[in-house]
Amino acid sequence: MIASWFVSDLVLERGSDARAKHIIQVIGPSSETKGKGFVEKYYPNSAPKVYGSYEAVYADPDVDCVYTATLHAFHHKNMLDTIAAGKNILCEKPVSINAREAEDMVKAAREKGFFLMEVLVDFGLEVETASLPPDSCLKNLALGAGALLDIGIYSRTWSDILLNPSATDTPVISANTIPAPDAPIDLSDVIVMSYPRQRAQAILTCTLKKGSVVVYGPAASSPSGFVVTTKGPGKVWKCEYERAGGGFYYEADEVALDLAEGRKENGVMRLEVSLRMMRLMDEVRRQGGVVYPQGKA
Ligand SMILES: NC(=O)C1=CN([C@@H]2O[C@H](COP(=O)(O)OP(=O)(O)OC[C@H]3O[C@@H](n4cnc5c(N)ncnc54)[C@H](OP(=O)(O)O)[C@@H]3O)[C@@H](O)[C@H]2O)C=CC1
Ligand SMILES: O=C1OC[C@@H](O)[C@H](O)[C@H]1O
């Protein structure tokens, strides 16, 4: 799903404010038929090379950077294979299932000198788990299902970047998890992240069932408006504006500029941020009692 939105955004006609031009050299899902169908639907009138395996993408000398949008249960293997093959990576959130996997990936990228960045662009989705089949990636534990990894990562990451920009403080976390009635996953989490030194706290919620927005629009990365509300009657400010696309080009721009300037990490979405988030989410799940198969070894 998300890969199609990413590609649609990259091929948008953009104005003079575009900071980079992106070329989709190859498309490489798990089968060539799937790849051809994808190009026909989302990248028509173009002729990228289409492969029928991830390995073929990694091996292509024309590829500078691999965008990976497999389910997060597969990111660990996919990233390690990509790095071993000598490619840079832009990876969909969450970077992995847990901090141990994220540490492996960051270690491999750093040791081999490749760029790795996790991407967070949020599109809302309301899910009723009862209506999903047991093998759905939003319900199946082995596929990394659960509210925290699916949607909770956004508010967690944004508030940590905002309240702890130098990433020097480890927040004190207290969390509460409501399990889904029909699957061993977290349906809803409420998390308080306290930064005692900063005297700041973020109170965050995530749920597969319902959510609330303050910034609104087609995507958090390209909001069409926002409402600012402060305490007291009548203290509401509303602002609306227009912008093309879903904002995916911002992540691609970052990668292109970083690569062009020889950086191995992005300055905002640092690998340390991805690692911190995986560790924080491990702790939240430890408190909430959700254990993925990858965490049992
Ligand atoms: N940034 C954002 O806003 C969003 C990010 N995401 C993240 O992106 C990732 C992909 O999400 P989404 O696009 O919804 O996922 P999809 O369900 O569309 O699956 C993506 C790809 O993962 C592979 N895959 C799916 N199911 C299986 C399976 N059972 N076994 C092996 N491979 C499988 C397939 O790859 P192939 O085609 O090669 O066979 C599939 O095309 C997730 O990690 C998710 O958290 C998701 C939505 C929004
Ligand atoms: O990352 C995501 O963002 C929005 C949700 O709708 C989606 O399920 C999730 O994977």
Side-chain angles (χ1 to χ4, degrees):
M1 173 184 84
I2 193 72
S4 60
W5 297 347
F6 178 76
V7 165
S8 305
D9 243 28
L10 286 206
V11 300
L12 268 184
E13 280 296 327
R14 293 169 67 193
S16 55
D17 62 333
R19 294 184 298 153
K21 181 173 167 54
H22 308 287
I23 301 169
I24 301 169
Q25 294 282 9
V26 314
I27 302 281
S30 56
S31 87
E32 201 176 326
T33 316
K34 234 177 164 181
K36 285 185 175 153
F38 184 94
V39 171
E40 216 168 277
K41 194 160 172 196
Y42 301 110
Y43 197 23
N45 313 316
S46 305
K49 283 178 260 182
V50 176
Y51 294 127
S53 74
Y54 304 152
E55 288 69 27
V57 175
Y58 310 151
D60 190 306
D62 291 333
V63 173
D64 296 317
C65 185
V66 176
Y67 165 71
T68 302
T70 51
L71 297 181
H72 37 278
F74 307 107
H75 287 177
H76 183 247
K77 175 176 172 23
N78 296 156
M79 298 304 114
L80 292 183
D81 289 350
T82 310
I83 292 164
K87 297 289 192 237
N88 301 296
I89 305 166
L90 174 64
C91 173
E92 274 301 339
K93 57 57 58 179
V95 73
S96 57
I97 283 283
N98 57 33
R100 198 186 62 198
E101 287 189 357
E103 280 158 4
D104 280 353
M105 292 150 65
V106 170
K107 185 165 175 273
R110 285 184 173 156
E111 274 177 8
K112 303 258 176 167
F114 291 109
F115 182 93
L116 169 63
M117 176 177 145
E118 177 186 9
V119 48
L120 290 145
V121 178
D122 176 19
F123 279 78
L125 181 75
E126 191 174 316
V127 179
E128 196 59 71
T129 50
S131 64
L132 298 172
D135 62 348
S136 161
C137 63
L138 291 167
K139 196 167 176 176
N140 184 340
L141 201 63
L143 294 179
L148 190 66
L149 291 185
D150 188 60
I151 201 81
I153 187 171
Y154 294 109
S155 53
R156 228 106 300 140
T157 305
W158 294 330
S159 47
D160 193 65
I161 287 176
L162 192 71
L163 298 179
N164 188 22
S166 55
T168 45
D169 291 16
T170 301
V172 180
I173 292 186
S174 66
N176 244 301
T177 294
I178 296 178
D182 45 6
I185 60 166
D186 53 319
L187 179 69
S188 299
D189 304 277
V190 175
I191 300 146
V192 180
M193 299 208 303
S194 301
Y195 298 84
R197 205 175 57 87
Q198 332 253 26
R199 294 173 195 270
Q201 278 188 318
I203 301 167
L204 312 160
T205 63
C206 60
T207 174
L208 288 177
K209 218 168 170 222
K210 282 197 176 130
S212 61
V213 280
V214 176
V215 178
Y216 59 91
S221 58
S222 64
S224 57
F226 60 87
V227 179
V228 179
T229 309
T230 59
K231 281 186 185 163
K235 298 249 174 102
V236 175
W237 292 269
K238 188 171 179 179
C239 172
E240 292 195 315
Y241 43 87
E242 282 182 9
R243 182 177 307 174
F248 291 93
Y249 37 74
Y250 293 130
E251 69 210 44
D253 287 358
E254 288 294 312
V255 175
L257 293 181
D258 283 335
L259 291 181
E261 286 162 28
R263 283 187 288 274
K264 302 295 181 197
E265 270 190 46
N266 185 260
V268 176
M269 197 60 209
R270 287 167 296 136
L271 291 174
E272 218 42 57
V273 173
S274 296
L275 285 174
R276 285 171 60 70
M277 286 311 110
M278 294 319 299
R279 290 183 191 124
L280 292 183
M281 291 196 293
D282 282 3
E283 171 58 13
V284 171
R285 286 201 313 281
R286 191 192 64 74
Q287 291 186 17
V290 174
V291 183
Y292 289 112
Q294 291 89 335
K296 283 187 177 153

Short mmCIF file of all heavy atoms in Angstrom, two decimals, residues 1-2 5 72 92-94 121-127 138 149-151 153-154 208, ligand 2:
data_model
loop_
_atom_site.label_atom_id
_atom_site.label_comp_id
_atom_site.label_asym_id
_atom_site.label_seq_id
_atom_site.Cartn_x
_atom_site.Cartn_y
_atom_site.Cartn_z
N MET A 1 0.82 -1.20 0.00
CA MET A 1 0.00 0.00 0.00
C MET A 1 0.86 1.26 0.00
O MET A 1 0.79 2.08 -0.90
CB MET A 1 -0.91 -0.04 1.23
CG MET A 1 -1.68 1.22 1.44
SD MET A 1 -2.65 1.16 2.97
CE MET A 1 -1.44 1.66 4.18
N ILE A 2 1.69 1.36 1.06
CA ILE A 2 2.42 2.63 1.22
C ILE A 2 3.40 2.87 0.08
O ILE A 2 3.65 4.01 -0.32
CB ILE A 2 3.11 2.69 2.61
CG1 ILE A 2 3.58 4.10 2.93
CG2 ILE A 2 4.27 1.73 2.72
CD1 ILE A 2 2.47 5.04 3.25
N TRP A 5 1.85 4.85 -2.70
CA TRP A 5 1.72 6.29 -2.41
C TRP A 5 3.07 6.98 -2.56
O TRP A 5 3.16 8.12 -3.04
CB TRP A 5 1.19 6.50 -0.99
CG TRP A 5 -0.18 5.93 -0.78
CD1 TRP A 5 -1.05 5.51 -1.75
CD2 TRP A 5 -0.83 5.71 0.47
NE1 TRP A 5 -2.20 5.03 -1.17
CE2 TRP A 5 -2.10 5.15 0.19
CE3 TRP A 5 -0.47 5.92 1.79
CZ2 TRP A 5 -3.00 4.81 1.18
CZ3 TRP A 5 -1.38 5.58 2.78
CH2 TRP A 5 -2.62 5.04 2.48
N HIS A 72 6.90 -4.62 8.68
CA HIS A 72 8.05 -4.45 9.57
C HIS A 72 8.60 -5.76 10.13
O HIS A 72 9.74 -5.81 10.55
CB HIS A 72 7.77 -3.45 10.70
CG HIS A 72 6.38 -3.50 11.24
ND1 HIS A 72 5.34 -2.87 10.63
CD2 HIS A 72 5.88 -4.10 12.33
CE1 HIS A 72 4.24 -3.08 11.32
NE2 HIS A 72 4.54 -3.83 12.36
N GLU A 92 10.54 2.09 5.64
CA GLU A 92 9.27 2.48 6.28
C GLU A 92 9.33 2.22 7.79
O GLU A 92 10.01 1.33 8.26
CB GLU A 92 8.11 1.68 5.68
CG GLU A 92 7.52 2.29 4.42
CD GLU A 92 6.99 3.69 4.63
OE1 GLU A 92 6.69 4.07 5.78
OE2 GLU A 92 6.88 4.43 3.64
N LYS A 93 8.59 3.00 8.52
CA LYS A 93 8.45 2.78 9.96
C LYS A 93 7.66 1.51 10.22
O LYS A 93 6.90 1.12 9.35
CB LYS A 93 7.78 3.96 10.65
CG LYS A 93 6.40 4.39 10.15
CD LYS A 93 5.23 3.51 10.07
CE LYS A 93 4.71 2.84 11.28
NZ LYS A 93 3.48 2.01 10.98
N PRO A 94 7.73 0.89 11.36
CA PRO A 94 8.82 1.03 12.30
C PRO A 94 10.04 0.31 11.72
O PRO A 94 9.89 -0.67 11.00
CB PRO A 94 8.30 0.33 13.55
CG PRO A 94 7.32 -0.66 13.05
CD PRO A 94 6.73 -0.09 11.79
N VAL A 121 5.64 8.88 7.83
CA VAL A 121 4.62 9.73 7.22
C VAL A 121 3.30 9.06 7.52
O VAL A 121 3.07 7.93 7.15
CB VAL A 121 4.79 9.84 5.69
CG1 VAL A 121 3.67 10.68 5.11
CG2 VAL A 121 6.13 10.46 5.35
N ASP A 122 2.45 9.76 8.20
CA ASP A 122 1.26 9.11 8.75
C ASP A 122 0.01 9.37 7.93
O ASP A 122 -0.32 10.50 7.62
CB ASP A 122 1.07 9.63 10.18
CG ASP A 122 -0.20 9.09 10.80
OD1 ASP A 122 -0.70 8.08 10.31
OD2 ASP A 122 -0.65 9.68 11.78
N PHE A 123 -0.68 8.29 7.59
CA PHE A 123 -2.03 8.39 7.03
C PHE A 123 -2.95 7.63 7.97
O PHE A 123 -2.68 6.48 8.28
CB PHE A 123 -2.08 7.75 5.64
CG PHE A 123 -1.56 8.64 4.57
CD1 PHE A 123 -0.20 8.80 4.40
CD2 PHE A 123 -2.42 9.34 3.76
CE1 PHE A 123 0.29 9.63 3.42
CE2 PHE A 123 -1.94 10.18 2.78
CZ PHE A 123 -0.57 10.33 2.60
N GLY A 124 -4.00 8.24 8.42
CA GLY A 124 -4.85 7.60 9.43
C GLY A 124 -5.69 6.45 8.89
O GLY A 124 -6.07 6.44 7.73
N LEU A 125 -5.94 5.49 9.73
CA LEU A 125 -6.77 4.35 9.35
C LEU A 125 -7.47 3.85 10.60
O LEU A 125 -6.85 3.69 11.64
CB LEU A 125 -5.85 3.25 8.81
CG LEU A 125 -6.48 1.96 8.33
CD1 LEU A 125 -7.15 2.19 6.97
CD2 LEU A 125 -5.41 0.89 8.17
N GLU A 126 -8.75 3.66 10.50
CA GLU A 126 -9.47 3.13 11.65
C GLU A 126 -9.72 1.64 11.41
O GLU A 126 -10.21 1.25 10.36
CB GLU A 126 -10.80 3.87 11.79
CG GLU A 126 -11.49 3.59 13.09
CD GLU A 126 -12.72 4.47 13.24
OE1 GLU A 126 -12.63 5.67 12.94
OE2 GLU A 126 -13.75 3.94 13.65
N VAL A 127 -9.34 0.84 12.38
CA VAL A 127 -9.41 -0.60 12.17
C VAL A 127 -10.28 -1.25 13.22
O VAL A 127 -10.16 -0.94 14.40
CB VAL A 127 -7.99 -1.22 12.30
CG1 VAL A 127 -8.03 -2.71 12.10
CG2 VAL A 127 -7.04 -0.57 11.32
N LEU A 138 -2.58 -6.60 10.49
CA LEU A 138 -3.01 -5.73 11.57
C LEU A 138 -3.51 -6.55 12.77
O LEU A 138 -3.96 -5.99 13.77
CB LEU A 138 -4.12 -4.79 11.08
CG LEU A 138 -3.63 -3.74 10.08
CD1 LEU A 138 -4.81 -3.07 9.39
CD2 LEU A 138 -2.76 -2.71 10.76
N LEU A 149 3.28 -0.31 17.26
CA LEU A 149 4.17 -0.32 16.11
C LEU A 149 3.48 0.25 14.88
O LEU A 149 4.11 0.85 14.01
CB LEU A 149 4.66 -1.73 15.80
CG LEU A 149 5.62 -2.37 16.80
CD1 LEU A 149 6.11 -3.72 16.30
CD2 LEU A 149 6.82 -1.48 17.08
N ASP A 150 2.17 0.08 14.80
CA ASP A 150 1.47 0.52 13.60
C ASP A 150 1.32 2.03 13.58
O ASP A 150 1.64 2.69 12.59
CB ASP A 150 0.10 -0.15 13.53
CG ASP A 150 -0.59 0.15 12.20
OD1 ASP A 150 -0.01 -0.23 11.17
OD2 ASP A 150 -1.65 0.79 12.20
N ILE A 151 0.84 2.60 14.69
CA ILE A 151 0.47 4.00 14.65
C ILE A 151 1.09 4.80 15.79
O ILE A 151 1.34 5.99 15.67
CB ILE A 151 -1.09 4.11 14.64
CG1 ILE A 151 -1.56 5.46 14.11
CG2 ILE A 151 -1.72 3.81 15.97
CD1 ILE A 151 -1.55 5.53 12.63
N ILE A 153 4.01 4.81 17.01
CA ILE A 153 5.38 5.28 16.78
C ILE A 153 5.42 6.75 16.38
O ILE A 153 6.38 7.46 16.67
CB ILE A 153 6.06 4.40 15.70
CG1 ILE A 153 7.54 4.76 15.58
CG2 ILE A 153 5.34 4.47 14.38
CD1 ILE A 153 8.32 3.80 14.71
N TYR A 154 4.37 7.24 15.74
CA TYR A 154 4.41 8.62 15.24
C TYR A 154 4.47 9.64 16.39
O TYR A 154 5.39 10.45 16.46
CB TYR A 154 3.17 8.91 14.38
CG TYR A 154 3.16 8.12 13.10
CD1 TYR A 154 2.26 7.08 12.91
CD2 TYR A 154 4.06 8.40 12.09
CE1 TYR A 154 2.26 6.35 11.73
CE2 TYR A 154 4.07 7.67 10.91
CZ TYR A 154 3.17 6.65 10.74
OH TYR A 154 3.17 5.94 9.59
N LEU A 208 -5.89 1.17 17.61
CA LEU A 208 -6.29 0.68 16.29
C LEU A 208 -7.75 1.00 16.04
O LEU A 208 -8.26 0.85 14.96
CB LEU A 208 -6.07 -0.82 16.19
CG LEU A 208 -4.62 -1.29 16.10
CD1 LEU A 208 -4.57 -2.80 16.07
CD2 LEU A 208 -3.93 -0.72 14.87
O1 LIG B 2 1.93 3.67 9.45
C1 LIG B 2 0.75 3.65 9.39
O2 LIG B 2 0.09 4.82 9.36
C2 LIG B 2 -1.26 4.89 9.16
C3 LIG B 2 -2.04 3.63 9.39
O3 LIG B 2 -3.24 3.77 8.74
C4 LIG B 2 -1.32 2.42 8.92
O4 LIG B 2 -2.03 1.27 9.32
C5 LIG B 2 0.04 2.39 9.50
O5 LIG B 2 0.79 1.30 9.05
#
